[in-house]
Amino acid sequence: MVYALGFVLFALGITISIALHECGHMWTAQATGMKVRRYFIGFGPKVFSFRRGETEYGLKALPLGGFCDIAGMTALDELEPEEVDRAMYRQETWKRMVVMSGGIAMNFLLGYILVVILAIGWGLPRFDQPPATQLGNMSCVPQQNPDGSTQPCSGAGPAQRAGLQRGDIVKSVNDVKVTTWKDFTSETQKQSGPFTYTIERDGKTLTVPVTPEQVMRYVDGVGREVGAVGVGSDFYGPVKHNVLGAIPAAGSFTGDMFVRTFQSLAQLPQKVTALWSAVTGGERDPETPVSVYGASKIGGETAERGLWGVFILVLASLNFFLGAFNILPLLPLDGGHMAVVLYEKIRNTIRGWKGLAPGGPVDYLKLLPLTYVAVVIGGAYMVLTLVADIVNPIKLF
């Protein structure tokens, strides 16, 4: 039940994020004197609508996005006589840029607000995490039950008895180099008798002999006996802030998120291979993108475990990604329309230097082939991501 609630709440959060994105366009258009004909959440058949002023507001049956219909977004739009002077394509460059960037700004603002809430309620995660194979807390080694729960245990575990310490960085397991915690775990579980860890401690390289304990571990209900030493990875916990401290802390955190978001955006093309591998039976790379369904599934899993801070962080990250994605200079994205506006401005400026009159609006019909290519490629990528989320979802836990 909690999983279902988290799933629905996250999907609702995505819907609200998209709705506010469109509000960013609508409010800036209205503030700059343009006419907003319609503002709808969803697509498909109309569920209901009402009119306030000159704008029709409503809800459609498929909550898969939304739209804001501004009169004269392009010169191709049909206009009523009273709409001509207020048509968007006839407005000054700065007004058009403000309107087209309004949705992007709204996503960034919403992401920032979520980060402020996270900072106050649960704390901001730290990006300066220790090396992947740095050892953390140590304990005895519990046996695992088939349902995933563990049996009680007491006393020191093999890692403690061997003299390992929190902060030790493991470089190799029995002379096999490891660079990730997954590598460390995999190599450790292979050991059935005494073996050695090569570690780095205080700038020195040491070799530490360890004798593992054999325990049962279950994956998808299938159990196998593995070696274990009773140690977890090191982790720097989140930092909480008061209300006043949260505002600048969230700003700094948001800046780091911007950098990471644009880095992830740049890596999207090369993730196609990883997504295809996941669809065809390979291991799912946790760094691959997720669909709305996949993100909602993660929201449900975090809610089920009471990790509402992670829930909010994922939703904030999604808003940053939506904002960054829409900056791309591709039609029909906001960034594509902004690129057209800037082109017209630069072209007309150059024409002015030459003593020529401003040129006419860009002919969007000539841009349709490029738009179709972007839509087809983007649609195929979304379908691939959705299939990967269904057949081989990312597992956080």
Side-chain angles (χ1 to χ4, degrees), residues 196-215:
T196 59
Y197 284 133
T198 300
I199 66 168
E200 183 178 293
R201 177 189 297 169
D202 299 328
K204 299 179 181 178
T205 300
L206 306 173
T207 300
V208 180
V210 185
T211 301
E213 294 181 13
Q214 299 300 303
V215 295

Side-chain angles (χ1 to χ4, degrees), residues 75-88:
L76 298 178
D77 287 359
E78 293 185 5
L79 298 171
E80 298 296 332
E82 68 274 10
E83 296 175 338
V84 173
D85 290 339
R86 300 174 65 191
M88 183 174 177

Side-chain angles (χ1 to χ4, degrees), residues 330-332 367-381:
L330 300 170
L331 291 171
L367 298 176
L368 279 180
L370 292 176
T371 304
Y372 290 148
V373 169
V375 169
V376 170
I377 293 177
Y381 200 105

Side-chain angles (χ1 to χ4, degrees), residues 45-74:
K46 181 169 65 176
V47 178
F48 72 87
S49 71
F50 62 92
R51 180 170 293 277
R52 179 170 296 174
E54 61 187 10
T55 305
E56 181 186 9
Y57 301 86
L59 176 70
K60 297 207 169 189
L62 301 176
L64 301 176
F67 65 92
C68 172
D69 177 17
I70 304 171
M73 285 189 66
T74 74

Side-chain angles (χ1 to χ4, degrees), residues 110-133:
L110 181 56
Y112 172 75
I113 292 173
L114 289 170
V115 170
V116 171
I117 294 172
L118 180 66
I120 297 171
W122 293 270
L124 295 179
R126 293 176 56 176
F127 289 120
D128 58 334
Q129 291 297 325
T133 58

Side-chain angles (χ1 to χ4, degrees), residues 95-362:
K95 290 184 179 181
R96 297 167 68 187
M97 290 295 290
V98 166
V99 173
M100 294 316 305
S101 61
I104 296 171
M106 185 60 72
N107 282 130
F108 287 155
L109 177 61
L110 181 56
Y112 172 75
I113 292 173
L114 289 170
V115 170
V116 171
I117 294 172
L118 180 66
I120 297 171
W122 293 270
L124 295 179
R126 293 176 56 176
F127 289 120
D128 58 334
Q129 291 297 325
T133 58
Q134 183 168 308
L135 302 183
N137 292 328
M138 301 180 189
S139 67
C140 57
V141 179
Q143 292 284 347
Q144 189 178 47
N145 298 317
D147 63 0
S149 62
T150 57
Q151 302 174 14
C153 68
S154 60
Q160 293 168 302
R161 294 195 296 267
L164 291 168
Q165 301 174 11
R166 180 170 188 168
D168 290 344
I169 302 173
V170 178
K171 296 295 185 180
S172 63
V173 180
N174 242 14
D175 296 326
V176 177
K177 290 184 178 180
V178 292
T179 57
T180 67
W181 190 254
K182 181 179 178 181
D183 294 339
F184 168 83
T185 301
S186 177
E187 291 300 322
T188 298
Q189 290 183 342
K190 293 177 183 178
Q191 311 305 319
S192 57
F195 67 102
T196 59
Y197 284 133
T198 300
I199 66 168
E200 183 178 293
R201 177 189 297 169
D202 299 328
K204 299 179 181 178
T205 300
L206 306 173
T207 300
V208 180
V210 185
T211 301
E213 294 181 13
Q214 299 300 303
V215 295
M216 291 299 296
R217 292 290 182 261
Y218 293 85
V219 178
D220 295 329
V222 179
R224 65 187 181 98
E225 193 173 65
V226 300
V229 297
V231 65
S233 61
D234 206 359
F235 176 74
Y236 300 154
V239 180
K240 293 185 69 173
H241 299 269
N242 59 30
V243 175
L244 291 179
I247 295 174
S252 176
F253 186 85
T254 297
D256 290 333
M257 288 292 290
F258 278 168
V259 173
R260 291 170 180 266
T261 298
F262 282 103
Q263 288 175 341
S264 298
L265 199 60
Q267 295 171 357
L268 280 181
Q270 66 192 60
K271 294 298 183 181
V272 172
T273 302
L275 284 170
W276 181 254
S277 175
V279 169
T280 54
E283 185 174 355
R284 180 71 183 269
D285 180 357
E287 298 297 322
T288 50
V290 294
S291 63
V292 171
Y293 167 80
S296 299
K297 188 174 185 297
I298 291 173
E301 291 175 350
T302 55
E304 187 177 35
R305 290 163 173 79
L307 301 176
W308 292 103
V310 178
F311 182 99
I312 291 176
L313 178 60
V314 175
L315 187 57
S317 301
L318 181 67
N319 272 277
F320 291 136
F321 182 82
L322 286 174
F325 184 75
N326 269 287
I327 290 177
L328 293 177
L330 300 170
L331 291 171
L333 301 178
D334 295 336
H337 291 285
M338 293 165 69
V340 170
V341 174
L342 289 175
Y343 165 76
E344 290 181 351
K345 178 64 175 178
I346 294 171
R347 179 203 61 190
N348 290 340
T349 299
I350 295 174
R351 288 177 66 87
W353 292 341
K354 296 178 179 180
L356 301 174
V362 165

